[in-house]
Amino acid sequence: MQKDLRLITFIKANWVNFAILLGLILVAYFNSFNNAFLSDDIAEIRDNPNIGNLSNTSKSPYGSIRLILYWLTYNTLGLSPAAFRLINYFFHTGSVFLIYIYQPRRR
């Protein structure tokens, strides 16, 4: 419980930094939302006949989490490149926030 309170206090004290990080990530991703699928997205997402089939997610020896996210995105938001990029945006934002929260602090 004490650790949770410290995290909440830290986030409240650094909300401006989180807002700046969020804005920078949005600027980096903003141009990509309207683009078509590129490179490996064509084979992995657009041309994949099994993207809407959940049973195929367990057959891959690696990347099953990625396949589950592809399935979830496809079945909730459709085969839109912006939908898949939105998921990437959320993961990127979470990664940046975690790195910021858990980086060593100079005292």
Side-chain angles (χ1 to χ4, degrees):
M1 185 69 168
Q2 183 70 7
K3 191 173 187 177
D4 294 339
L5 291 176
R6 286 188 300 169
L7 180 60
I8 292 170
T9 303
F10 175 79
I11 291 172
K12 285 181 180 179
N14 291 285
W15 72 270
V16 173
N17 295 339
F18 284 107
I20 290 169
L21 289 170
L22 187 66
L24 289 172
I25 297 165
L26 187 59
V27 166
Y29 268 87
F30 187 73
N31 191 35
S32 72
F33 285 117
N34 290 328
N35 291 341
F37 287 119
L38 300 172
S39 186
D40 61 337
D41 294 341
I42 294 170
E44 287 286 320
I45 300 171
R46 190 190 72 186
D47 295 343
N48 184 355
N50 297 317
I51 195 166
N53 189 353
L54 185 60
S55 65
N56 288 322
T57 59
S58 62
K59 294 179 182 176
S60 176
Y62 55 90
S64 59
I65 293 173
R66 179 187 47 139
L67 296 175
I68 290 170
L69 288 172
Y70 285 171
W71 174 83
L72 186 64
T73 305
Y74 175 77
N75 284 302
T76 56
L77 301 172
L79 195 59
S80 165
F84 287 88
R85 298 226 171 76
L86 185 64
I87 299 300
N88 287 340
Y89 172 76
F90 287 135
F91 274 102
H92 191 95
T93 301
S95 298
V96 168
F97 284 0
L98 285 174
I99 290 170
Y100 182 78
I101 289 169
Y102 291 108
Q103 72 179 346
R105 303 270 179 231
R106 294 184 184 175
R107 297 184 194 250

PDB file of all heavy atoms in Angstrom, residues 26-53:
ATOM      1  N   LEU A  26       3.012  11.415 -29.297  1.00  0.00           N
ATOM      2  CA  LEU A  26       1.943  11.697 -30.258  1.00  0.00           C
ATOM      3  C   LEU A  26       2.496  12.364 -31.511  1.00  0.00           C
ATOM      4  O   LEU A  26       2.094  12.025 -32.626  1.00  0.00           O
ATOM      5  CB  LEU A  26       0.861  12.562 -29.613  1.00  0.00           C
ATOM      6  CG  LEU A  26      -0.388  12.797 -30.434  1.00  0.00           C
ATOM      7  CD1 LEU A  26      -1.050  11.479 -30.776  1.00  0.00           C
ATOM      8  CD2 LEU A  26      -1.355  13.682 -29.678  1.00  0.00           C
ATOM      9  N   VAL A  27       3.416  13.285 -31.345  1.00  0.00           N
ATOM     10  CA  VAL A  27       4.042  13.938 -32.501  1.00  0.00           C
ATOM     11  C   VAL A  27       4.773  12.903 -33.364  1.00  0.00           C
ATOM     12  O   VAL A  27       4.693  12.930 -34.586  1.00  0.00           O
ATOM     13  CB  VAL A  27       5.013  15.059 -32.039  1.00  0.00           C
ATOM     14  CG1 VAL A  27       5.913  15.519 -33.169  1.00  0.00           C
ATOM     15  CG2 VAL A  27       4.226  16.229 -31.483  1.00  0.00           C
ATOM     16  N   ALA A  28       5.462  11.975 -32.708  1.00  0.00           N
ATOM     17  CA  ALA A  28       6.202  10.948 -33.454  1.00  0.00           C
ATOM     18  C   ALA A  28       5.263  10.017 -34.217  1.00  0.00           C
ATOM     19  O   ALA A  28       5.568   9.594 -35.333  1.00  0.00           O
ATOM     20  CB  ALA A  28       7.077  10.149 -32.504  1.00  0.00           C
ATOM     21  N   TYR A  29       4.118   9.696 -33.645  1.00  0.00           N
ATOM     22  CA  TYR A  29       3.184   8.754 -34.278  1.00  0.00           C
ATOM     23  C   TYR A  29       2.146   9.421 -35.166  1.00  0.00           C
ATOM     24  O   TYR A  29       1.527   8.764 -35.997  1.00  0.00           O
ATOM     25  CB  TYR A  29       2.448   7.945 -33.203  1.00  0.00           C
ATOM     26  CG  TYR A  29       3.125   6.657 -32.852  1.00  0.00           C
ATOM     27  CD1 TYR A  29       4.118   6.612 -31.891  1.00  0.00           C
ATOM     28  CD2 TYR A  29       2.779   5.469 -33.478  1.00  0.00           C
ATOM     29  CE1 TYR A  29       4.741   5.434 -31.560  1.00  0.00           C
ATOM     30  CE2 TYR A  29       3.396   4.284 -33.163  1.00  0.00           C
ATOM     31  CZ  TYR A  29       4.376   4.274 -32.197  1.00  0.00           C
ATOM     32  OH  TYR A  29       4.992   3.100 -31.876  1.00  0.00           O
ATOM     33  N   PHE A  30       1.915  10.710 -35.013  1.00  0.00           N
ATOM     34  CA  PHE A  30       0.798  11.386 -35.663  1.00  0.00           C
ATOM     35  C   PHE A  30       0.776  11.177 -37.177  1.00  0.00           C
ATOM     36  O   PHE A  30      -0.266  10.916 -37.756  1.00  0.00           O
ATOM     37  CB  PHE A  30       0.825  12.879 -35.334  1.00  0.00           C
ATOM     38  CG  PHE A  30      -0.386  13.616 -35.825  1.00  0.00           C
ATOM     39  CD1 PHE A  30      -1.597  13.446 -35.190  1.00  0.00           C
ATOM     40  CD2 PHE A  30      -0.312  14.449 -36.919  1.00  0.00           C
ATOM     41  CE1 PHE A  30      -2.731  14.111 -35.637  1.00  0.00           C
ATOM     42  CE2 PHE A  30      -1.434  15.119 -37.376  1.00  0.00           C
ATOM     43  CZ  PHE A  30      -2.646  14.948 -36.728  1.00  0.00           C
ATOM     44  N   ASN A  31       1.909  11.289 -37.812  1.00  0.00           N
ATOM     45  CA  ASN A  31       1.966  11.155 -39.264  1.00  0.00           C
ATOM     46  C   ASN A  31       1.687   9.731 -39.741  1.00  0.00           C
ATOM     47  O   ASN A  31       1.303   9.527 -40.884  1.00  0.00           O
ATOM     48  CB  ASN A  31       3.330  11.615 -39.776  1.00  0.00           C
ATOM     49  CG  ASN A  31       3.368  11.749 -41.269  1.00  0.00           C
ATOM     50  OD1 ASN A  31       2.383  12.137 -41.879  1.00  0.00           O
ATOM     51  ND2 ASN A  31       4.494  11.422 -41.856  1.00  0.00           N
ATOM     52  N   SER A  32       1.832   8.748 -38.897  1.00  0.00           N
ATOM     53  CA  SER A  32       1.674   7.358 -39.326  1.00  0.00           C
ATOM     54  C   SER A  32       0.233   6.871 -39.297  1.00  0.00           C
ATOM     55  O   SER A  32      -0.084   5.859 -39.917  1.00  0.00           O
ATOM     56  CB  SER A  32       2.529   6.437 -38.448  1.00  0.00           C
ATOM     57  OG  SER A  32       1.981   6.334 -37.158  1.00  0.00           O
ATOM     58  N   PHE A  33      -0.661   7.550 -38.590  1.00  0.00           N
ATOM     59  CA  PHE A  33      -2.016   7.035 -38.425  1.00  0.00           C
ATOM     60  C   PHE A  33      -2.781   6.917 -39.744  1.00  0.00           C
ATOM     61  O   PHE A  33      -3.599   6.021 -39.897  1.00  0.00           O
ATOM     62  CB  PHE A  33      -2.807   7.884 -37.430  1.00  0.00           C
ATOM     63  CG  PHE A  33      -2.417   7.640 -36.003  1.00  0.00           C
ATOM     64  CD1 PHE A  33      -1.874   8.663 -35.249  1.00  0.00           C
ATOM     65  CD2 PHE A  33      -2.582   6.410 -35.420  1.00  0.00           C
ATOM     66  CE1 PHE A  33      -1.507   8.439 -33.932  1.00  0.00           C
ATOM     67  CE2 PHE A  33      -2.218   6.171 -34.106  1.00  0.00           C
ATOM     68  CZ  PHE A  33      -1.672   7.195 -33.358  1.00  0.00           C
ATOM     69  N   ASN A  34      -2.542   7.796 -40.690  1.00  0.00           N
ATOM     70  CA  ASN A  34      -3.279   7.748 -41.958  1.00  0.00           C
ATOM     71  C   ASN A  34      -2.554   6.986 -43.055  1.00  0.00           C
ATOM     72  O   ASN A  34      -3.055   6.887 -44.172  1.00  0.00           O
ATOM     73  CB  ASN A  34      -3.583   9.167 -42.446  1.00  0.00           C
ATOM     74  CG  ASN A  34      -4.615   9.847 -41.585  1.00  0.00           C
ATOM     75  OD1 ASN A  34      -5.499   9.195 -41.045  1.00  0.00           O
ATOM     76  ND2 ASN A  34      -4.495  11.139 -41.433  1.00  0.00           N
ATOM     77  N   ASN A  35      -1.375   6.442 -42.758  1.00  0.00           N
ATOM     78  CA  ASN A  35      -0.624   5.699 -43.771  1.00  0.00           C
ATOM     79  C   ASN A  35      -1.163   4.286 -43.940  1.00  0.00           C
ATOM     80  O   ASN A  35      -1.794   3.740 -43.045  1.00  0.00           O
ATOM     81  CB  ASN A  35       0.857   5.629 -43.382  1.00  0.00           C
ATOM     82  CG  ASN A  35       1.525   6.970 -43.460  1.00  0.00           C
ATOM     83  OD1 ASN A  35       1.050   7.887 -44.114  1.00  0.00           O
ATOM     84  ND2 ASN A  35       2.636   7.106 -42.760  1.00  0.00           N
ATOM     85  N   ALA A  36      -0.859   3.701 -45.090  1.00  0.00           N
ATOM     86  CA  ALA A  36      -1.254   2.321 -45.359  1.00  0.00           C
ATOM     87  C   ALA A  36      -0.314   1.362 -44.636  1.00  0.00           C
ATOM     88  O   ALA A  36       0.697   1.765 -44.075  1.00  0.00           O
ATOM     89  CB  ALA A  36      -1.209   2.066 -46.860  1.00  0.00           C
ATOM     90  N   PHE A  37      -0.666   0.077 -44.665  1.00  0.00           N
ATOM     91  CA  PHE A  37       0.236  -0.924 -44.116  1.00  0.00           C
ATOM     92  C   PHE A  37       1.527  -0.929 -44.916  1.00  0.00           C
ATOM     93  O   PHE A  37       1.520  -0.797 -46.133  1.00  0.00           O
ATOM     94  CB  PHE A  37      -0.395  -2.315 -44.187  1.00  0.00           C
ATOM     95  CG  PHE A  37      -1.499  -2.524 -43.191  1.00  0.00           C
ATOM     96  CD1 PHE A  37      -2.782  -2.816 -43.617  1.00  0.00           C
ATOM     97  CD2 PHE A  37      -1.261  -2.453 -41.836  1.00  0.00           C
ATOM     98  CE1 PHE A  37      -3.804  -3.026 -42.711  1.00  0.00           C
ATOM     99  CE2 PHE A  37      -2.271  -2.656 -40.915  1.00  0.00           C
ATOM    100  CZ  PHE A  37      -3.550  -2.942 -41.354  1.00  0.00           C
ATOM    101  N   LEU A  38       2.640  -1.107 -44.231  1.00  0.00           N
ATOM    102  CA  LEU A  38       3.952  -1.105 -44.874  1.00  0.00           C
ATOM    103  C   LEU A  38       4.743  -2.333 -44.472  1.00  0.00           C
ATOM    104  O   LEU A  38       4.510  -2.924 -43.420  1.00  0.00           O
ATOM    105  CB  LEU A  38       4.754   0.142 -44.449  1.00  0.00           C
ATOM    106  CG  LEU A  38       4.151   1.487 -44.774  1.00  0.00           C
ATOM    107  CD1 LEU A  38       4.956   2.596 -44.134  1.00  0.00           C
ATOM    108  CD2 LEU A  38       4.108   1.680 -46.277  1.00  0.00           C
ATOM    109  N   SER A  39       5.691  -2.701 -45.299  1.00  0.00           N
ATOM    110  CA  SER A  39       6.711  -3.692 -44.984  1.00  0.00           C
ATOM    111  C   SER A  39       6.114  -4.984 -44.439  1.00  0.00           C
ATOM    112  O   SER A  39       5.311  -5.624 -45.101  1.00  0.00           O
ATOM    113  CB  SER A  39       7.717  -3.068 -44.030  1.00  0.00           C
ATOM    114  OG  SER A  39       8.785  -3.923 -43.791  1.00  0.00           O
ATOM    115  N   ASP A  40       6.498  -5.364 -43.230  1.00  0.00           N
ATOM    116  CA  ASP A  40       6.032  -6.627 -42.666  1.00  0.00           C
ATOM    117  C   ASP A  40       4.556  -6.592 -42.287  1.00  0.00           C
ATOM    118  O   ASP A  40       3.943  -7.650 -42.103  1.00  0.00           O
ATOM    119  CB  ASP A  40       6.890  -7.024 -41.466  1.00  0.00           C
ATOM    120  CG  ASP A  40       6.833  -6.009 -40.344  1.00  0.00           C
ATOM    121  OD1 ASP A  40       6.523  -4.842 -40.607  1.00  0.00           O
ATOM    122  OD2 ASP A  40       7.120  -6.400 -39.195  1.00  0.00           O
ATOM    123  N   ASP A  41       3.948  -5.419 -42.179  1.00  0.00           N
ATOM    124  CA  ASP A  41       2.515  -5.333 -41.883  1.00  0.00           C
ATOM    125  C   ASP A  41       1.674  -5.951 -42.998  1.00  0.00           C
ATOM    126  O   ASP A  41       0.587  -6.457 -42.725  1.00  0.00           O
ATOM    127  CB  ASP A  41       2.082  -3.882 -41.709  1.00  0.00           C
ATOM    128  CG  ASP A  41       2.699  -3.221 -40.498  1.00  0.00           C
ATOM    129  OD1 ASP A  41       3.159  -3.952 -39.600  1.00  0.00           O
ATOM    130  OD2 ASP A  41       2.727  -1.985 -40.457  1.00  0.00           O
ATOM    131  N   ILE A  42       2.172  -5.908 -44.224  1.00  0.00           N
ATOM    132  CA  ILE A  42       1.409  -6.441 -45.353  1.00  0.00           C
ATOM    133  C   ILE A  42       1.205  -7.941 -45.185  1.00  0.00           C
ATOM    134  O   ILE A  42       0.087  -8.446 -45.294  1.00  0.00           O
ATOM    135  CB  ILE A  42       2.106  -6.092 -46.684  1.00  0.00           C
ATOM    136  CG1 ILE A  42       2.072  -4.577 -46.877  1.00  0.00           C
ATOM    137  CG2 ILE A  42       1.459  -6.828 -47.849  1.00  0.00           C
ATOM    138  CD1 ILE A  42       2.925  -4.067 -48.021  1.00  0.00           C
ATOM    139  N   ALA A  43       2.289  -8.670 -44.913  1.00  0.00           N
ATOM    140  CA  ALA A  43       2.177 -10.123 -44.755  1.00  0.00           C
ATOM    141  C   ALA A  43       1.591 -10.514 -43.404  1.00  0.00           C
ATOM    142  O   ALA A  43       0.787 -11.444 -43.312  1.00  0.00           O
ATOM    143  CB  ALA A  43       3.549 -10.765 -44.928  1.00  0.00           C
ATOM    144  N   GLU A  44       1.983  -9.821 -42.344  1.00  0.00           N
ATOM    145  CA  GLU A  44       1.553 -10.190 -40.993  1.00  0.00           C
ATOM    146  C   GLU A  44       0.111  -9.813 -40.693  1.00  0.00           C
ATOM    147  O   GLU A  44      -0.551 -10.489 -39.907  1.00  0.00           O
ATOM    148  CB  GLU A  44       2.459  -9.520 -39.954  1.00  0.00           C
ATOM    149  CG  GLU A  44       3.822 -10.117 -39.858  1.00  0.00           C
ATOM    150  CD  GLU A  44       3.811 -11.462 -39.163  1.00  0.00           C
ATOM    151  OE1 GLU A  44       3.084 -11.634 -38.171  1.00  0.00           O
ATOM    152  OE2 GLU A  44       4.532 -12.346 -39.626  1.00  0.00           O
ATOM    153  N   ILE A  45      -0.370  -8.737 -41.292  1.00  0.00           N
ATOM    154  CA  ILE A  45      -1.707  -8.247 -40.936  1.00  0.00           C
ATOM    155  C   ILE A  45      -2.640  -8.254 -42.148  1.00  0.00           C
ATOM    156  O   ILE A  45      -3.624  -8.979 -42.184  1.00  0.00           O
ATOM    157  CB  ILE A  45      -1.631  -6.827 -40.325  1.00  0.00           C
ATOM    158  CG1 ILE A  45      -0.774  -6.849 -39.061  1.00  0.00           C
ATOM    159  CG2 ILE A  45      -3.015  -6.290 -40.029  1.00  0.00           C
ATOM    160  CD1 ILE A  45      -0.443  -5.488 -38.502  1.00  0.00           C
ATOM    161  N   ARG A  46      -2.320  -7.452 -43.137  1.00  0.00           N
ATOM    162  CA  ARG A  46      -3.251  -7.239 -44.243  1.00  0.00           C
ATOM    163  C   ARG A  46      -3.544  -8.511 -45.035  1.00  0.00           C
ATOM    164  O   ARG A  46      -4.702  -8.817 -45.327  1.00  0.00           O
ATOM    165  CB  ARG A  46      -2.696  -6.175 -45.188  1.00  0.00           C
ATOM    166  CG  ARG A  46      -3.725  -5.732 -46.232  1.00  0.00           C
ATOM    167  CD  ARG A  46      -3.116  -4.889 -47.283  1.00  0.00           C
ATOM    168  NE  ARG A  46      -2.284  -5.743 -48.145  1.00  0.00           N
ATOM    169  CZ  ARG A  46      -1.519  -5.291 -49.109  1.00  0.00           C
ATOM    170  NH1 ARG A  46      -1.450  -4.006 -49.343  1.00  0.00           N
ATOM    171  NH2 ARG A  46      -0.805  -6.111 -49.843  1.00  0.00           N
ATOM    172  N   ASP A  47      -2.512  -9.279 -45.387  1.00  0.00           N
ATOM    173  CA  ASP A  47      -2.697 -10.468 -46.215  1.00  0.00           C
ATOM    174  C   ASP A  47      -2.781 -11.763 -45.413  1.00  0.00           C
ATOM    175  O   ASP A  47      -2.732 -12.846 -45.986  1.00  0.00           O
ATOM    176  CB  ASP A  47      -1.556 -10.575 -47.233  1.00  0.00           C
ATOM    177  CG  ASP A  47      -1.572  -9.429 -48.233  1.00  0.00           C
ATOM    178  OD1 ASP A  47      -2.601  -8.747 -48.352  1.00  0.00           O
ATOM    179  OD2 ASP A  47      -0.535  -9.210 -48.891  1.00  0.00           O
ATOM    180  N   ASN A  48      -2.901 -11.658 -44.109  1.00  0.00           N
ATOM    181  CA  ASN A  48      -2.946 -12.839 -43.256  1.00  0.00           C
ATOM    182  C   ASN A  48      -4.384 -13.342 -43.168  1.00  0.00           C
ATOM    183  O   ASN A  48      -5.230 -12.697 -42.562  1.00  0.00           O
ATOM    184  CB  ASN A  48      -2.419 -12.494 -41.869  1.00  0.00           C
ATOM    185  CG  ASN A  48      -2.338 -13.684 -40.950  1.00  0.00           C
ATOM    186  OD1 ASN A  48      -2.757 -14.777 -41.282  1.00  0.00           O
ATOM    187  ND2 ASN A  48      -1.794 -13.459 -39.767  1.00  0.00           N
ATOM    188  N   PRO A  49      -4.679 -14.517 -43.753  1.00  0.00           N
ATOM    189  CA  PRO A  49      -6.058 -15.017 -43.709  1.00  0.00           C
ATOM    190  C   PRO A  49      -6.488 -15.485 -42.324  1.00  0.00           C
ATOM    191  O   PRO A  49      -7.671 -15.646 -42.058  1.00  0.00           O
ATOM    192  CB  PRO A  49      -6.044 -16.190 -44.695  1.00  0.00           C
ATOM    193  CG  PRO A  49      -4.621 -16.647 -44.709  1.00  0.00           C
ATOM    194  CD  PRO A  49      -3.787 -15.416 -44.477  1.00  0.00           C
ATOM    195  N   ASN A  50      -5.536 -15.696 -41.425  1.00  0.00           N
ATOM    196  CA  ASN A  50      -5.849 -16.212 -40.089  1.00  0.00           C
ATOM    197  C   ASN A  50      -5.910 -15.135 -39.018  1.00  0.00           C
ATOM    198  O   ASN A  50      -6.002 -15.455 -37.837  1.00  0.00           O
ATOM    199  CB  ASN A  50      -4.801 -17.260 -39.677  1.00  0.00           C
ATOM    200  CG  ASN A  50      -4.836 -18.451 -40.592  1.00  0.00           C
ATOM    201  OD1 ASN A  50      -5.896 -18.935 -40.953  1.00  0.00           O
ATOM    202  ND2 ASN A  50      -3.661 -18.909 -40.993  1.00  0.00           N
ATOM    203  N   ILE A  51      -5.862 -13.882 -39.417  1.00  0.00           N
ATOM    204  CA  ILE A  51      -5.816 -12.805 -38.423  1.00  0.00           C
ATOM    205  C   ILE A  51      -7.083 -12.750 -37.566  1.00  0.00           C
ATOM    206  O   ILE A  51      -7.032 -12.372 -36.413  1.00  0.00           O
ATOM    207  CB  ILE A  51      -5.542 -11.436 -39.087  1.00  0.00           C
ATOM    208  CG1 ILE A  51      -5.133 -10.431 -38.028  1.00  0.00           C
ATOM    209  CG2 ILE A  51      -6.721 -10.965 -39.880  1.00  0.00           C
ATOM    210  CD1 ILE A  51      -4.528  -9.180 -38.583  1.00  0.00           C
ATOM    211  N   GLY A  52      -8.198 -13.176 -38.096  1.00  0.00           N
ATOM    212  CA  GLY A  52      -9.446 -13.164 -37.342  1.00  0.00           C
ATOM    213  C   GLY A  52      -9.750 -14.467 -36.635  1.00  0.00           C
ATOM    214  O   GLY A  52     -10.822 -14.632 -36.078  1.00  0.00           O
ATOM    215  N   ASN A  53      -8.806 -15.406 -36.638  1.00  0.00           N
ATOM    216  CA  ASN A  53      -9.017 -16.726 -36.064  1.00  0.00           C
ATOM    217  C   ASN A  53      -8.194 -16.868 -34.787  1.00  0.00           C
ATOM    218  O   ASN A  53      -6.972 -16.975 -34.845  1.00  0.00           O
ATOM    219  CB  ASN A  53      -8.630 -17.786 -37.093  1.00  0.00           C
ATOM    220  CG  ASN A  53      -9.025 -19.177 -36.679  1.00  0.00           C
ATOM    221  OD1 ASN A  53      -9.478 -19.398 -35.571  1.00  0.00           O
ATOM    222  ND2 ASN A  53      -8.854 -20.114 -37.583  1.00  0.00           N
TER     223      ASN A  53
END
